[in-house]
């Protein structure tokens, strides 16, 4: 077995990379990672330098890959470790760079080590290779963000600490349509959601759904403008992704992307971008020109629910954070990440911290479930 690290996704062909993916999860596909790289949305100058792990078998054939980046900050990860970086600084140590196996700007749980369905068997080899790479690069450690449970357990067995987080996901229990979904809610929550949807319609807002190749160049340009406007209003800074990234999605991942357009008097006032695979809808990016009552909920959640039920998808991952999703039927769901720090004292401290934090997160999840809008039983 040979270990190699590549500094561009293009060092491996799409055919070689994608044949190792166990399913059609969009975010580890070669096309998605290449779009991030080719659009300039990541790179050494943006704090995300590709260091993808490749493992070759004894015949020299690619046996496993893991998307990995050398990071000089913690932006765009959604597993917050700023306090750890501050603790390093207080002790005169550098937390950055760090090595991170993750999908940039994408806090969606899914496969991280791709090995043709044999991920857990390769996990100890991958973990050791990444720890050694971190040491060679002078990185403080190595982190794997939002892996699936089986891989997380295997990585924990190989010496990393497991950190528990919480997101809110919707599950399709055989609903025929939105009314069928509302029927399982208690009366007050059902009335609230209908009121929200009605108020959006009463403001003269209508919606259009465009899939894949039907999304025009003008739609992509307009979406980028809305995306940037929303980031500027929220943080005073532009979004992580460049203008060139979005049309590349339309060219390379047309089978996985859908745009919902919100229109008023014929003008697009807001839009949301979704990804999908065979089982799951992923709400990823959104933007608006100006605020309207309940527009965000309708565009990003209710329209997404309609779409997921139309396709018969099993799950809707609406993105990181957002307690407001509970009242709309999204269930609190545990997520995990794995962490290894080269400094033994800090690794011990992190292991203690994530154990205590994990108990609090699980208690929060249990408490949040009590506020779900569904009828008892």
């Amino acid at each position: 077995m040979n270990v190699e690290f590549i500094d561009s996704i293009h060092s491996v062909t799409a055919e070689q990379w994608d044949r190792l993916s166990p399913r059609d999860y969009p975010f580890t596909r070669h096309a998605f990672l290449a779009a991030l790289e080719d659009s300039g949305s990541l790179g050494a100058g943006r704090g995300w330098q590709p260091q993808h792990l490749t493992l070759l078998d004894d015949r020299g054939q690619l046996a496993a890959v893991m998307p990995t980046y050398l990071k000089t900050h913690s932006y765009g990860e959604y597993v917050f470790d700023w306090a750890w970086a501050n603790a390093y600084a207080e002790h005169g140590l550098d937390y950055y760079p760090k090595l991170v196996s993750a999908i940039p700007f994408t806090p969606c749980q899914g496969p991280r080590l791709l090995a043709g369905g044999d991920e857990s068997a390769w996990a100890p080899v991958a973990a050791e290779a990444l720890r050694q790479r971190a040491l060679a690069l002078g990185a403080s450690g190595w982190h794997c963000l939002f892996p699936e449970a089986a891989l997380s357990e295997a990585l924990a067995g190989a010496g990393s600490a497991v950190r528990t987080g919480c997101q809110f996901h919707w599950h399709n229990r055989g609903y025929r349509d939105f009314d069928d979904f509302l029927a399982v809610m208690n009366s007050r929550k059902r009335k609230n959601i209908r009121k929200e949807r009605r108020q959006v319609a009463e403001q003269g807002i209508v919606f259009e759904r465009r899939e894949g190749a039907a999304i025009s160049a003008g739609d992509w340009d307009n979406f980028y403008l809305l995306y940037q406007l929303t980031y500027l209003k929220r943080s005073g800074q532009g979004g992580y992704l460049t203008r060139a990234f979005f049309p590349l999605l339309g060219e390379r991942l047309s089978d996985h992307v859908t745009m919902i357009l919100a229109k008023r008097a014929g003008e697009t006032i807001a839009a949301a971008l979704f990804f999908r695979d065979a089982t799951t809808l992923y709400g990823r990016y959104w933007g608006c020109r100006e605020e309207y009552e309940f527009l965000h909920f309708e565009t990003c959640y209710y329209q997404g629910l309609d779409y997921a039920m139309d396709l018969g998808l099993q799950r809707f991952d609406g993105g990181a954070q957002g307690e407001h999703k509970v009242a709309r039927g999204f269930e609190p769901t545990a997520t995990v990440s794995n962490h290894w720090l080269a400094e033994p004292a800090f690794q011990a401290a992190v292991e203690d911290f994530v154990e205590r934090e994990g108990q609090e997160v699980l208690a929060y999840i249990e408490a949040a479930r009590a506020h779900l809008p569904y009828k008892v039983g």
Side-chain angles (χ1 to χ4, degrees):
M1 188 274 300
N2 293 314
V3 176
E4 293 182 5
F5 288 87
I6 57 175
D7 60 7
S8 170
I9 190 70
H10 294 295
S11 297
V12 174
T13 68
E15 181 181 8
Q16 290 173 313
W17 184 283
D18 289 340
R19 71 175 175 81
L20 296 172
S21 183
R23 58 177 190 270
D24 63 341
Y25 178 76
F27 305 115
T28 51
R29 295 191 70 78
H30 190 280
F32 182 81
L33 299 172
L36 287 169
E37 188 175 318
D38 296 345
S39 67
S41 297
L42 52 78
R46 298 180 74 92
W48 289 85
Q49 183 176 349
Q51 286 285 300
H52 303 311
L53 169 67
T54 65
L55 300 175
L56 288 75
D57 63 22
D58 294 336
R59 298 171 298 162
Q61 299 298 310
L62 195 64
V65 295
M66 197 167 192
T68 302
Y69 299 86
L70 188 66
K71 291 293 305 296
T72 55
H73 54 64
S74 292
Y75 293 107
E77 297 176 12
Y78 303 93
V79 176
F80 302 105
D81 60 356
W82 300 104
W84 302 358
N86 290 339
Y88 264 66
E90 289 170 1
H91 287 79
L93 300 174
D94 293 326
Y95 189 66
Y96 305 108
K98 61 180 181 176
L99 207 58
V100 178
S101 294
I103 311 303
F105 325 118
T106 308
C108 296
Q109 182 173 296
R112 292 296 180 265
L113 176 61
L114 311 181
D118 195 23
E119 286 72 30
S120 294
W122 284 96
V125 176
E128 178 60 22
L130 286 157
R131 287 194 293 263
Q132 292 302 318
R133 186 62 169 176
L135 294 172
L137 294 172
S140 64
W142 166 63
H143 312 261
C144 182
L145 310 184
F146 300 103
E148 294 176 314
L151 177 59
S152 179
E153 291 173 7
L155 295 178
S160 64
V162 180
R163 188 177 188 185
T164 305
C166 176
Q167 293 182 351
F168 302 90
H169 298 172
W170 176 84
H171 298 276
N172 187 351
R173 294 184 170 85
Y175 306 121
R176 295 184 302 272
D177 52 30
F178 205 91
D179 284 338
D180 196 31
F181 163 56
L182 289 181
V184 303
M185 290 190 173
N186 64 56
S187 176
R188 184 170 64 87
K189 296 298 186 182
R190 183 167 61 245
K191 289 178 180 178
N192 285 343
I193 291 175
R194 283 178 171 156
K195 178 182 176 182
E196 290 176 358
R197 302 201 79 178
R198 184 173 63 251
Q199 287 186 318
V200 171
E202 289 172 350
Q203 294 173 89
I205 300 171
V206 297
F207 294 87
E208 294 182 11
R209 183 189 298 171
R210 297 187 183 169
E211 298 179 302
I215 305 173
S216 70
D219 291 332
W220 288 117
D221 283 343
N222 194 42
F223 183 83
Y224 178 74
L225 174 62
L226 297 173
Y227 164 79
Q228 288 285 46
L229 284 172
T230 298
Y231 258 92
L232 286 169
K233 285 185 287 187
R234 181 188 305 163
S235 65
Q237 300 178 10
Y240 296 122
L241 301 166
T242 65
R243 178 185 292 272
F245 172 72
F246 293 102
L248 287 177
L249 294 179
E251 294 174 14
R252 302 176 182 181
L253 281 163
S254 61
D255 290 342
H256 292 276
V257 294
T258 298
M259 188 182 295
I260 303 292
L261 304 176
K263 294 195 169 188
R264 189 169 186 265
E267 178 186 9
T268 299
I269 59 170
L273 187 64
F274 301 84
F275 290 76
R276 66 184 183 278
D277 58 28
T279 63
T280 304
L281 184 68
Y282 304 90
R284 295 307 309 122
Y285 317 113
W286 113 287
C288 64
R289 291 186 185 276
E290 52 187 300
E291 303 294 334
Y292 290 86
E293 190 75 10
F294 302 120
L295 177 61
H296 177 254
F297 294 146
E298 178 66 40
T299 311
C300 294
Y301 303 128
Y302 300 148
Q303 290 290 319
L305 289 171
D306 278 332
Y307 186 49
M309 284 182 276
D310 284 349
L311 295 182
L313 299 177
Q314 300 169 19
R315 186 169 64 98
F316 179 12
D317 173 349
Q321 304 170 320
E323 285 185 337
H324 56 271
K325 298 171 189 169
V326 172
R328 293 161 178 87
F330 288 73
E331 301 177 27
T333 303
T335 61
V336 290
S337 57
N338 291 72
H339 306 272
W340 173 81
L341 297 173
E343 174 55 53
F346 273 98
Q347 179 66 14
V350 161
E351 289 174 355
D352 179 67
F353 170 78
V354 299
E355 172 65 26
R356 290 182 286 106
E357 182 190 49
Q359 295 176 8
E360 295 173 359
V361 171
L362 292 176
Y364 167 79
I365 289 173
E366 188 63 27
R369 293 193 66 82
H371 295 279
L372 285 166
Y374 300 114
K375 297 174 183 176
V376 175

